[in-house]
Amino acid sequence: ALFATGFYAFSYFPLAGYDGLGEPESLMAWPAVLAFALYRTRDDDANALPLAFVSGLLLGFAVAIKFPAFLLVFGLPIAELIMRTGVGWSLGGAIKRLMLAALAFLLVQAAWAGYLLSIEAWSAFVDIQRNYTLDYNQFRWSSGVWYPRAVLNETSWWLVTALYLTVPAWAALFFAHAREQRPAVYFFAFIAMLGVLSVWWQGKMFHYHWLIVVPFLAILAGYACDSLLQLLRPLGKQALYSASALLLGAFLMAAWAPLMSIYDLNELLAKRLDGQLTQSQLEERY
């Protein structure tokens, strides 16, 4: 948990940028992660049903913020399939939990629609979804680039930028496979893939859109670091410190792009505070 928090905290600011801090993806992480953290898959857990309802509310809130988050809803049935145990799980219990989560999810959407209707903004909202969101995407301004190639180009940029996250996340799957019976690792890998699909779905793939994937990759990366240190612990303190220093060096190399972004963003902040940069000059950069 400590490593995962560190990965996420390090990732958030440079990947969002000053221009993306107020975007929906910046607000989506906490309800999405909390929804999956609270969800229970055991029939004999007295809190399973109320927590399923809360998970549905949280995912409903994430989707109300931005519709492409809808794919994350499929994480709950994935949880029932992957996180189930031989004892204390039944198909009937899973259906009850999923139906309760679905009810909570729909209640949030109904409340959101009711709010838009009450302030007479419903038609504007529908117009934006139809005429702005659907047409405004990377593929349609790719100047004739083949559709799948446009997806691959943008995804390759993300993989390189987030190398310090994607490589440890892959290592987490390796450790989980070697140790066996680590369903939570596979679960968060699936959720991360749902996040990637949501980015592909909306099509624009700006730098801050990938923030929806970061919290789940951070959890996997944290597990990988923890597993690696457990393997190194028998080597003794001196060897452990040396190995940790090497790992830190590898992290700095892999995280060079976000480190430079942090440097640039803080340079902008210093210039703005010092008066070298006006607000209008800062906004021109956006």
Side-chain angles (χ1 to χ4, degrees), residues 214-283:
V214 171
F216 308 113
L217 290 180
I219 291 170
L220 294 172
Y223 171 78
C225 288
D226 199 46
S227 301
L228 192 56
L229 288 178
Q230 286 183 36
L231 288 177
L232 295 174
R233 193 168 287 120
L235 299 178
K237 282 189 177 181
Q238 186 174 356
L240 180 61
Y241 291 150
S242 302
S244 299
L246 289 171
L247 286 172
L248 180 61
F251 172 80
L252 293 175
M253 291 174 64
W256 191 251
L259 283 170
M260 292 305 297
S261 177
I262 291 173
Y263 178 86
D264 292 339
L265 289 168
N266 280 285
E267 184 182 36
L268 279 178
L269 175 62
K271 287 182 177 179
R272 179 70 185 93
L273 293 175
D274 195 38
Q276 299 179 43
L277 199 65
T278 66
Q279 185 64 29
S280 60
Q281 287 174 325
L282 183 67
E283 290 169 359

Side-chain angles (χ1 to χ4, degrees), residues 9-22:
F10 174 81
S11 303
Y12 174 72
F13 189 50
L15 292 182
Y18 74 91
D19 56 328
L21 292 174

Side-chain angles (χ1 to χ4, degrees), residues 62-105:
V63 173
I65 292 174
K66 196 167 190 178
F67 189 72
F70 177 76
L71 292 179
L72 294 180
V73 172
F74 294 102
L76 295 185
I78 289 174
E80 291 289 354
L81 290 172
I82 294 180
M83 303 294 287
R84 65 183 181 181
T85 56
V87 179
W89 184 92
S90 69
L91 180 60
I95 291 173
K96 282 182 184 178
R97 289 186 290 272
L98 291 174
M99 288 183 67
L100 201 56
L103 174 62
F105 176 86

Side-chain angles (χ1 to χ4, degrees), residues 46-269:
N47 295 318
L49 291 178
L51 287 177
F53 188 82
V54 173
S55 294
L57 290 176
L58 289 166
L59 288 174
F61 178 67
V63 173
I65 292 174
K66 196 167 190 178
F67 189 72
F70 177 76
L71 292 179
L72 294 180
V73 172
F74 294 102
L76 295 185
I78 289 174
E80 291 289 354
L81 290 172
I82 294 180
M83 303 294 287
R84 65 183 181 181
T85 56
V87 179
W89 184 92
S90 69
L91 180 60
I95 291 173
K96 282 182 184 178
R97 289 186 290 272
L98 291 174
M99 288 183 67
L100 201 56
L103 174 62
F105 176 86
L106 292 173
L107 285 174
V108 175
Q109 306 317 307
W112 174 231
Y115 168 71
L116 291 173
L117 287 167
S118 70
I119 61 171
E120 300 182 353
W122 176 255
S123 60
F125 175 75
V126 173
D127 186 59
I128 286 172
Q129 300 305 312
R130 185 176 66 247
N131 296 321
Y132 178 72
T133 308
L134 294 179
D135 293 330
Y136 181 47
N137 62 60
Q138 179 68 26
F139 310 134
R140 288 190 176 91
W141 14 281
S142 56
S143 303
V145 176
W146 188 47
Y147 183 100
R149 182 55 189 264
V151 175
L152 294 175
N153 286 345
E154 296 298 323
T155 306
S156 65
W157 168 86
W158 157 253
L159 288 173
V160 172
T161 303
L163 204 62
Y164 65 95
L165 273 177
T166 52
V167 171
W170 188 262
L173 292 174
F174 173 81
F175 283 121
H177 180 72
R179 292 179 170 189
E180 298 181 356
Q181 296 182 338
R182 292 290 186 274
V185 176
Y186 298 121
F187 170 67
F188 279 110
F190 273 109
I191 301 302
M193 284 306 303
L194 289 177
V196 171
L197 289 175
S198 75
V199 178
W200 288 356
W201 178 16
Q202 65 179 312
K204 290 180 285 183
M205 292 193 284
F206 292 151
H207 58 96
Y208 56 79
H209 288 155
W210 295 95
L211 289 176
I212 194 173
V213 190
V214 171
F216 308 113
L217 290 180
I219 291 170
L220 294 172
Y223 171 78
C225 288
D226 199 46
S227 301
L228 192 56
L229 288 178
Q230 286 183 36
L231 288 177
L232 295 174
R233 193 168 287 120
L235 299 178
K237 282 189 177 181
Q238 186 174 356
L240 180 61
Y241 291 150
S242 302
S244 299
L246 289 171
L247 286 172
L248 180 61
F251 172 80
L252 293 175
M253 291 174 64
W256 191 251
L259 283 170
M260 292 305 297
S261 177
I262 291 173
Y263 178 86
D264 292 339
L265 289 168
N266 280 285
E267 184 182 36
L268 279 178
L269 175 62

